[in-house]
Amino acid sequence: MRYTQEQISTALVLLKATGSPDKVVQTLGYPSAPMLYHWRKKYPEYYDVPNQKHWRQAPTELKHDVIKHCLIEGEPVKLVAEEIGYTPSLIYKWIRELPV
């Protein structure tokens, strides 16, 4: 299976944020842990993304506001993620895990 640059970037940023290949695979559903390590070597520019905030730092109120913007107001997840400095994959995770 071929992955897009956005999928690779998202996986590597999440890997850096969580430090766990298993968490990345569990959250995103792709790729395998060996593939993540391969990508980390091949695409260091994605792994070393500056100014990405760690998902654990986000207050619950922010998570709920983001979910509201995406689900109720229909704003694109990617746009909201860029505005607040988190990855789109983490916003999708919040949507799956938090009640609105």
Side-chain angles (χ1 to χ4, degrees):
M1 176 177 202
R2 296 199 88 137
Y3 295 97
T4 66
Q5 292 296 341
E6 184 175 343
Q7 288 174 312
I8 293 169
S9 152
T10 298
L12 289 176
V13 169
L14 185 57
L15 176 63
K16 184 173 183 175
T18 64
S20 168
D22 293 334
K23 243 338 174 191
V24 174
V25 174
Q26 182 182 18
T27 301
L28 300 177
Y30 71 89
S32 63
M35 181 63 77
L36 276 172
Y37 290 118
H38 170 73
W39 288 348
R40 193 169 95 179
K41 286 181 183 176
K42 188 172 180 179
Y43 304 104
E45 66 274 17
Y46 294 134
Y47 186 71
D48 297 322
V49 176
N51 301 324
Q52 286 291 336
K53 298 177 184 175
H54 193 279
W55 65 274
R56 292 180 194 255
Q57 296 173 344
T60 303
E61 185 177 320
L62 172 66
K63 292 177 183 180
H64 284 287
D65 287 345
V66 167
I67 291 169
K68 184 180 125 196
H69 283 290
C70 295
L71 295 181
I72 297 171
E73 297 174 11
E75 291 186 43
V77 170
K78 186 175 180 179
L79 179 65
V80 173
E82 288 174 2
E83 288 175 2
I84 64 170
Y86 289 85
T87 63
S89 63
L90 291 176
I91 292 176
Y92 286 120
K93 178 181 167 122
W94 298 343
I95 291 170
R96 284 191 310 271
E97 294 180 351
L98 293 174
V100 180

Coordinates of all heavy atoms in Angstrom, one line a residue, residues 5 8-9 12-13 15-16 35-50 52:
Q5 N 2.1 11.7 1.4 CA 3.0 12.5 2.2 C 2.3 13.0 3.5 O 2.9 13.0 4.5 CB 3.6 13.7 1.4 CG 4.5 13.2 0.3 CD 5.8 12.5 0.8 OE1 6.2 12.6 1.9 NE2 6.4 11.8 -0.1
I8 N 2.1 10.1 6.0 CA 3.5 9.9 6.5 C 3.8 10.9 7.5 O 4.2 10.7 8.7 CB 4.5 9.8 5.4 CG1 4.3 8.6 4.5 CG2 5.9 9.8 6.0 CD1 5.1 8.6 3.2
S9 N 3.5 12.2 7.2 CA 3.8 13.3 8.1 C 3.0 13.2 9.4 O 3.5 13.4 10.5 CB 3.5 14.6 7.3 OG 3.1 15.6 8.2
L12 N 4.4 10.4 11.6 CA 5.7 10.8 12.2 C 5.5 11.8 13.3 O 6.2 11.8 14.3 CB 6.7 11.2 11.2 CG 7.2 10.1 10.3 CD1 8.1 10.6 9.2 CD2 7.9 9.0 11.1
V13 N 4.6 12.8 13.1 CA 4.4 13.8 14.1 C 3.8 13.2 15.4 O 4.1 13.5 16.5 CB 3.5 15.0 13.6 CG1 3.1 15.9 14.7 CG2 4.3 15.8 12.5
L15 N 4.1 10.0 16.2 CA 5.2 9.2 16.8 C 6.0 10.1 17.7 O 6.4 9.7 18.8 CB 6.0 8.6 15.7 CG 7.2 7.8 16.2 CD1 6.8 6.6 17.1 CD2 8.1 7.3 15.1
K16 N 6.4 11.2 17.2 CA 7.2 12.1 18.1 C 6.5 12.6 19.3 O 7.0 12.6 20.4 CB 7.7 13.3 17.2 CG 8.6 14.2 18.0 CD 9.2 15.3 17.2 CE 10.2 16.1 18.0 NZ 10.9 17.1 17.3
M35 N 7.7 0.1 9.6 CA 7.5 1.1 8.6 C 7.7 2.5 9.2 O 8.3 3.4 8.6 CB 6.1 1.0 8.0 CG 5.9 2.0 6.9 SD 7.0 1.9 5.5 CE 6.3 0.5 4.6
L36 N 7.2 2.7 10.4 CA 7.4 4.0 11.1 C 8.9 4.3 11.3 O 9.3 5.5 11.0 CB 6.7 4.0 12.5 CG 5.2 4.3 12.5 CD1 4.7 4.1 13.9 CD2 5.0 5.8 12.1
Y37 N 9.6 3.4 11.7 CA 11.1 3.6 11.9 C 11.8 3.9 10.5 O 12.7 4.7 10.4 CB 11.7 2.4 12.6 CG 11.3 2.3 14.0 CD1 10.6 1.3 14.5 CD2 11.6 3.4 14.9 CE1 10.2 1.2 15.9 CE2 11.2 3.4 16.2 CZ 10.5 2.2 16.7 OH 10.1 2.2 18.0
H38 N 11.3 3.2 9.5 CA 11.8 3.4 8.1 C 11.5 4.9 7.7 O 12.4 5.6 7.2 CB 11.2 2.4 7.2 CG 11.5 2.7 5.7 ND1 12.7 2.6 5.1 CD2 10.7 3.2 4.7 CE1 12.7 3.0 3.9 NE2 11.5 3.4 3.6
W39 N 10.3 5.3 7.9 CA 9.9 6.7 7.6 C 10.7 7.7 8.4 O 11.0 8.7 7.9 CB 8.4 6.9 7.8 CG 7.5 6.2 6.8 CD1 7.8 5.6 5.6 CD2 6.1 6.0 6.9 NE1 6.7 5.1 5.0 CE2 5.6 5.3 5.8 CE3 5.1 6.4 7.9 CZ2 4.3 5.0 5.6 CZ3 3.8 6.1 7.7 CH2 3.4 5.4 6.6
R40 N 10.9 7.4 9.6 CA 11.6 8.3 10.5 C 13.0 8.6 9.9 O 13.5 9.7 10.0 CB 11.7 7.8 11.9 CG 12.1 8.9 12.9 CD 12.0 8.4 14.3 NE 13.2 7.8 14.7 CZ 13.4 7.3 15.9 NH1 12.4 7.3 16.8 NH2 14.5 6.8 16.3
K41 N 13.7 7.5 9.4 CA 15.0 7.7 8.8 C 14.9 8.4 7.4 O 15.7 9.2 7.1 CB 15.7 6.4 8.6 CG 16.2 5.8 9.9 CD 16.9 4.4 9.7 CE 17.3 3.8 11.0 NZ 17.8 2.5 10.9
K42 N 13.9 8.0 6.7 CA 13.8 8.5 5.3 C 13.3 10.0 5.3 O 13.6 10.7 4.4 CB 12.8 7.6 4.5 CG 12.8 8.0 3.0 CD 12.0 6.9 2.3 CE 12.0 7.3 0.8 NZ 11.2 6.3 0.0
Y43 N 12.4 10.3 6.2 CA 11.8 11.7 6.2 C 12.0 12.4 7.5 O 11.1 12.7 8.3 CB 10.3 11.6 6.0 CG 9.9 10.9 4.7 CD1 9.4 9.6 4.8 CD2 10.0 11.5 3.5 CE1 9.0 8.9 3.6 CE2 9.6 10.8 2.3 CZ 9.1 9.5 2.4 OH 8.8 8.9 1.3
P44 N 13.3 12.7 7.8 CA 13.5 13.4 9.1 C 12.9 14.8 9.2 O 12.6 15.2 10.3 CB 15.1 13.5 9.1 CG 15.5 13.5 7.7 CD 14.5 12.6 7.0
E45 N 12.6 15.4 8.1 CA 11.9 16.7 8.1 C 10.5 16.6 8.7 O 10.0 17.6 9.2 CB 11.9 17.3 6.7 CG 11.0 16.6 5.7 CD 11.7 15.4 4.9 OE1 12.8 15.0 5.4 OE2 11.2 15.0 3.9
Y46 N 9.9 15.5 8.6 CA 8.5 15.3 9.1 C 8.6 14.9 10.6 O 7.7 15.3 11.4 CB 7.7 14.2 8.4 CG 7.4 14.5 7.0 CD1 7.6 13.6 6.0 CD2 6.9 15.8 6.7 CE1 7.3 13.9 4.7 CE2 6.6 16.1 5.3 CZ 6.8 15.1 4.4 OH 6.5 15.4 3.1
Y47 N 9.6 14.2 11.0 CA 9.7 13.8 12.4 C 10.2 14.9 13.3 O 9.8 15.0 14.4 CB 10.8 12.6 12.5 CG 10.8 12.1 13.9 CD1 9.8 11.3 14.4 CD2 11.9 12.3 14.7 CE1 9.8 10.8 15.7 CE2 11.9 11.8 16.0 CZ 10.9 11.0 16.5 OH 10.9 10.5 17.8
D48 N 11.0 15.8 12.7 CA 11.5 17.0 13.5 C 10.7 18.2 13.2 O 11.2 19.3 13.0 CB 12.9 17.2 13.2 CG 13.8 16.0 13.6 OD1 13.5 15.4 14.6 OD2 14.7 15.7 12.8
V49 N 9.3 18.1 13.3 CA 8.5 19.3 13.1 C 8.5 20.2 14.3 O 8.2 19.8 15.4 CB 7.0 18.8 12.8 CG1 6.1 20.0 12.6 CG2 7.0 17.9 11.5
P50 N 8.9 21.5 14.1 CA 8.9 22.4 15.3 C 7.5 22.8 15.6 O 6.6 22.8 14.8 CB 9.8 23.5 14.8 CG 9.6 23.5 13.3 CD 9.4 22.1 12.9
Q52 N 5.1 21.7 17.2 CA 3.9 20.8 17.3 C 3.7 20.6 18.8 O 4.6 20.3 19.6 CB 4.1 19.5 16.7 CG 4.1 19.6 15.2 CD 2.7 19.9 14.7 OE1 1.7 19.6 15.3 NE2 2.6 20.4 13.5

